[in-house]
Amino acid sequence: GGQNLISEELGKALGIIRTYELYNARKIDGGKQYFSTADDFGYSKLPTEAFEKWNDADMLDQLVYAIRVLQPDIIVNRFDHRTEGNTHGHHTASAQLSKIAFKLAGDKNYKDLLNESVKTWHPARLFFNVSWFFFGSKQAFEKADKSKYIPLNIGVFYNQLGKNNQEIASLS
């Protein structure tokens, strides 16, 4: 949210700290971390605030490039592109850009300015990772119609690691 409770760094300096925190988290969970050139500038409430600080055309090119290079079968957004003002603006903005990039990555007429030799790629689906948080409470989430949702078992235990997904996430 842009706050820093343990030191004085804010804005871009805090963004650098967060970047290194993410790199170190990936050392623990084994994931691959990819970054755009979007500044982690701190708190915003609306996507327009994020777009005032980011060059959304550059961000879009970077997303299309990443999709074309990585060729994912699906994309899962953590935040909803339709909920302006309900969460941090930069999260909504990134979901909005993701929705556009999802379509453009497969469009042969969209020229990727980063590397025009990369072939087009269209993932099969774009998802939004729903959480009870988006319903205001666990009770409201329990009452919600989830008939169009796809449930995933995220509590898998890995015998080789002696941990489940939540434990790995907590460590990272």
Side-chain angles (χ1 to χ4, degrees), residues 7-57:
S7 66
E8 299 297 316
E9 290 86 356
L10 294 173
K12 290 183 181 186
L14 182 56
I16 292 168
I17 291 170
R18 289 179 175 168
T19 298
Y20 281 97
E21 287 174 343
L22 291 169
Y23 279 133
N24 286 318
R26 300 301 74 83
K27 290 177 187 175
I28 294 167
D29 65 24
K32 291 185 179 179
Q33 186 80 42
Y34 298 93
F35 294 95
S36 71
T37 58
D39 286 333
D40 183 354
F41 57 85
Y43 182 78
S44 64
K45 191 66 179 166
L46 297 170
T48 52
E49 295 170 316
F51 292 136
E52 287 171 6
K53 298 190 183 301
W54 299 344
N55 180 328
D56 53 333

Side-chain angles (χ1 to χ4, degrees), residues 16 18-19 31 60 69 99 114 117 122 130 150 155 169-170:
I16 292 168
R18 289 179 175 168
T19 298
L60 192 56
V69 169
K99 185 171 191 265
L114 298 174
S117 66
H122 195 272
V130 175
I150 301 170
S170 178

Side-chain angles (χ1 to χ4, degrees), residues 61-77:
D61 279 343
Q62 291 172 48
L63 282 169
V64 168
Y65 176 76
I67 292 168
R68 287 176 174 178
V69 169
L70 298 171
Q71 299 183 345
D73 292 321
I74 63 168
I75 295 174
V76 181
N77 285 334

Side-chain angles (χ1 to χ4, degrees), residues 10 14 37-38 42 67-68 83-84 115 119 123 139 151 154 168:
L10 294 173
L14 182 56
T37 58
I67 292 168
R68 287 176 174 178
T83 55
E84 291 192 19
N115 186 340
K119 294 181 181 173
Q139 294 80 12
I154 60 169
I168 295 167

